[in-house]
Amino acid sequence: MKNRILKAGFSTMALGLLSLPACLGGSSNTDDGGAQTSGDDSGLTGTSTSSSGSSSGSSSGSSTGSSSGSSSGSVATSDAGSSTSGGGMGVALMPDPNGYLGPSSNTLNIQGAWYAYGDDWGTNGAPPGDCEVKGMHAASTCSSITFPPPGMASDAGDAGFTSSFPQSTPGTMCLSGTAAKVLASDYSNMFGIGIGLDFNNQGGVKMPYNATMNHVIGFSFNIAGIPKGASVRVELPIPATDAAGADSWAFSVTTDGAYRIDLSTAAGDTHGLKPAFTSTMTQPPFDATKVESIQFHVPTNTSAAIAIPDSTRLCVSNFQAIVSGP
């Protein structure tokens, strides 16, 4: 699936979203700085059973990108569980009030920002996006984001653009808006909305993160606010899927709760990753040494729009990296 290029919620540092355009490039498969691909998740099977936990908060940022084809429904649904249920130790990744994780905020060399993205947001973190510009669809038919707020133009720094990812509850990153109903099977330009976190964004340039070298074997988080009948695709873009125009390795969750995902594609790993669109093309092998970001994507379908009300936002909290022993 195409990775969305999103605007990261940066602090006042030079890592602002402004410079993200370079790393977000509008390519069809650009990761957190690009657009994410979407597709019909109607074929997904299995549900996760976990205790639901409500969370609140907010976030901001933007992204653009594209996706291609309709999903075959092959994305795995992860079992809910504790962050250490599969082994390893959880390391909290707490962003600052603007959604930014500086190099001194953790011992895993993770440096980047949380961002939001959608087919109605361009690389400047505001409308118009691929839906209008590339798909030539009316704005009223495109996806939309009501929270976090879009980026704002500035007179200096970061290519004249600044953005942040506010949080009502520290570390709880939220999203509200609507993932549009896909028209004319144009999944590439009507891919939905989501939020994500860059792992190695330096000076506004998005680069691969070597999770293996840093002993990161997975991630855990709580999620709340998933709309009834909808799913959230948790995606891990890598350069190979970006270049091939393929969909990111991912897994899908359909119920609120606590989850763990492993940076593994082993068939027997119930927390492992699966290709999102196996029916559309060959999926490049997953490479844990080149993970670009993690994205919580609300994909589109051809049946109906998916609304996430501002009163019950989709929120990700208690985000942690799971590390193995040295």
Side-chain angles (χ1 to χ4, degrees), residues 202-227:
Q202 300 185 31
V205 179
K206 183 190 193 80
M207 296 182 287
Y209 171 74
N210 192 329
T212 302
M213 183 177 71
N214 288 284
H215 306 292
V216 175
I217 58 175
F219 297 95
S220 65
F221 54 87
N222 285 15
I223 191 167
I226 299 176

Side-chain angles (χ1 to χ4, degrees), residues 269-319:
D269 187 348
T270 58
H271 302 287
L273 304 172
K274 297 292 183 180
F277 288 70
T278 55
S279 66
T280 60
M281 61 186 70
T282 300
Q283 191 78 7
F286 180 73
D287 188 347
T289 69
K290 296 180 179 179
V291 181
E292 297 171 315
S293 62
I294 186 168
Q295 299 180 155
F296 298 84
H297 176 206
V298 181
T300 52
N301 63 74
T302 57
S303 300
I306 300 170
I308 304 174
D310 196 58
S311 58
T312 54
R313 293 170 179 163
L314 174 70
C315 296
V316 175
S317 62
N318 193 29
F319 186 70

